[in-house]
Amino acid sequence: MERKHTGIGDQISGEEAAGRVAGMKVLVVEDNELNLDIIQEVLKERGLSVTGAANGQIACDLFGDSLPGTFDVILMDMHMPVLDGVEATKKIRAMERADAKTIPILALTANDFEEDIRRTREAGMNDHLTKPFDMEKILCVLAEYAVRGE
């Protein structure tokens, strides 16, 4: 399901979300080292298994070299050096493996303009989350995808 994320996190509580996401395997793609550290730490505290990537090319390499099912979801920053979020998503979606077409890829971006949302959808992203990070909302969105993946 492709959509701009606009409050879906209001549908469940943070506590309920934390229970649903425990054990999820997340690939976090973020070029800002501080942001990456914060997201990884918060997700790990909630019981998620987290792998970080500093740019889209590293994310593509990690995903491509992993076994199917290694990751349950990808949190993808949009503006990065080497390979940005749109190009990295296109590259992942084009890979010759079944999970490349189905893994949820969620855009993380400071831009919430229709043009940005359209670009993320066209690239094959499933959701569009905005910065600054609202970790409760991110957890609630991840919980949605955890339920869909069961």
Side-chain angles (χ1 to χ4, degrees):
M1 173 188 282
E2 297 175 350
R3 70 192 178 299
K4 175 182 171 187
H5 196 276
T6 58
I8 202 82
D10 298 334
Q11 296 178 8
I12 62 174
S13 70
E15 186 175 311
E16 184 180 358
R20 289 183 184 179
V21 299
M24 278 186 90
K25 299 167 292 216
V26 181
L27 175 57
V28 179
V29 189
E30 169 65 61
D31 67 315
N32 181 293
E33 190 175 338
L34 180 59
N35 285 346
L36 181 59
D37 288 345
I38 291 169
I39 294 171
Q40 286 183 293
E41 190 60 35
V42 171
L43 294 178
K44 286 177 182 178
E45 287 174 359
R46 301 300 198 291
L48 286 82
S49 172
V50 184
T51 302
N55 65 56
Q57 185 59 56
I58 294 169
C60 289
D61 294 343
L62 285 169
F63 185 80
D65 292 341
S66 68
L67 294 173
T70 297
F71 301 107
D72 297 315
V73 67
I74 299 172
L75 297 177
M76 181 77 72
D77 185 25
M78 295 306 299
H79 302 286
M80 298 177 287
V82 185
L83 195 62
D84 70 18
V86 166
E87 293 306 314
T89 298
K90 288 178 181 178
K91 195 169 179 180
I92 289 169
R93 293 292 189 220
M95 290 181 184
E96 293 294 324
R97 49 189 277 177
D99 63 339
K101 311 287 188 258
T102 59
I103 187 165
I105 302 177
L106 315 179
L108 294 176
T109 179
N111 298 331
D112 196 23
F113 301 108
E114 285 301 319
E115 173 68 16
D116 298 300
I117 295 165
R118 182 187 59 75
R119 286 184 68 228
T120 61
R121 288 181 178 158
E122 288 174 356
M125 292 188 182
N126 301 82
D127 229 322
H128 189 99
L129 300 166
T130 57
K131 295 177 184 178
F133 300 120
D134 178 341
M135 289 308 296
E136 278 309 303
K137 184 170 282 186
I138 290 173
L139 287 170
C140 289
V141 173
L142 289 175
E144 260 191 43
Y145 286 96
V147 170
R148 291 180 195 169
E150 290 176 349

